[in-house]
Amino acid sequence: MLSYSRSSLMIANLLLLLGALFVLVTAVGLLRLPDLLMRMHAATKAGTLGAGLCLVAVAVAMPEPSVVARALATLIFLLLTAPIAAHVIAHAAYHAGEAQLWEHTEVDDLADDLAESEARTMPVSR
Amino acid sequence: MSFPLVPLIGLTLLVAAMGLILVRLIRGPTVSDRVVALDVLSAVAIGLIATYTVAAGTTALLDAALVIALVSFVGTVAFGHFVERRSVHR
């Protein structure tokens, strides 16, 4: 085990604390928010940011090529796939009727668009 | 071995987050809620691996973090297709 510089270790510790705090905020939002789509809003953004900050801390604490490459590859993969996964879940849940909107929600643009498109097209008999 | 203090605090926060996510995983009214909770749980696992890597100075677990990210994405997409296919009974 090599000895790395103290300043980079301090920066890495700060990033680790920030990432852990963001993940904790994500967990609290996942518990407290009233609606599936709001919970996904907390989960997919703050969760990705927390895990990503922890990975950047690894890259800062150990500046070797192999470690930095692995940490940054994981980070880039997370940043690329989190929106796709969130969109897939939200789409599936909404169309399966599992996304019960909060009772104080006032605007549901997707429902209006779906009603309009159904009124415009021929009714398909299944 | 003795851990340094700051990563120990980070590990404590991450484990507390894991407990809250498990509560949502048990209580979530629909399948989609549980899928979202599992997705965040994998993010917490990546954070735990990163914290351990910095604290212990071993890089052995970084590949596991990459594999967890890959498997979590594939599982989430598969669950989405499953939920959507289950709703055809309308």
Side-chain angles (χ1 to χ4, degrees):
Chain A
M1 159 156 189
L2 300 168
S3 65
Y4 301 99
S5 69
R6 285 193 59 81
S7 61
S8 67
L9 205 60
M10 272 175 56
I11 295 172
N13 279 338
L14 194 68
L15 287 171
L16 280 180
L17 267 186
L18 266 178
L21 275 175
F22 269 109
V23 172
L24 189 63
V25 165
T26 303
V28 171
L30 207 63
L31 257 190
R32 299 281 302 156
L33 288 173
D35 177 353
L36 173 74
L37 298 180
M38 296 186 196
R39 276 178 227 137
M40 290 185 55
H41 168 89
T44 194
K45 292 200 290 192
T48 307
L49 182 59
L53 280 176
C54 293
L55 288 168
V56 172
V58 171
V60 168
M62 304 181 176
E64 303 163 12
S66 67
V67 178
V68 171
R70 274 185 281 176
L72 288 190
T74 313
L75 173 61
I76 289 170
F77 185 81
L78 271 181
L79 289 178
L80 283 179
T81 56
I84 301 169
H87 178 263
V88 166
I89 296 182
H91 187 91
Y94 191 92
H95 287 286
E98 287 190 352
Q100 286 296 321
L101 294 184
W102 191 36
E103 63 224 10
H104 294 96
T105 305
E106 295 189 2
V107 179
D108 186 357
D109 283 331
L110 182 54
D112 302 343
D113 288 351
L114 285 175
E116 191 182 327
S117 72
E118 274 191 13
R120 229 184 311 124
T121 55
M122 293 286 289
V124 179
S125 63
R126 286 184 184 169
Chain B
M1 62 176 292
S2 68
F3 257 37
L5 178 66
V6 178
L8 203 60
I9 296 170
L11 287 181
T12 314
L13 294 179
L14 285 170
V15 171
M18 214 173 233
L20 299 178
I21 291 164
L22 280 178
V23 171
R24 172 56 65 192
L25 196 71
I26 294 165
R27 241 175 43 182
T30 63
V31 177
S32 309
D33 283 299
R34 296 190 170 96
V35 175
V36 173
L38 274 177
D39 212 5
V40 183
L41 205 59
S42 72
V44 176
I46 291 172
L48 282 172
I49 286 175
T51 310
Y52 181 82
T53 303
V54 172
T58 61
T59 63
L61 290 176
L62 275 178
D63 296 329
L66 184 54
V67 169
I68 285 174
L70 288 160
V71 170
S72 142
F73 171 65
V74 173
T76 303
V77 172
F79 265 121
H81 282 290
F82 164 72
V83 168
E84 205 158 8
R85 183 133 21 91
R86 219 188 31 177
S87 69
V88 174
H89 66 271
R90 283 186 295 122

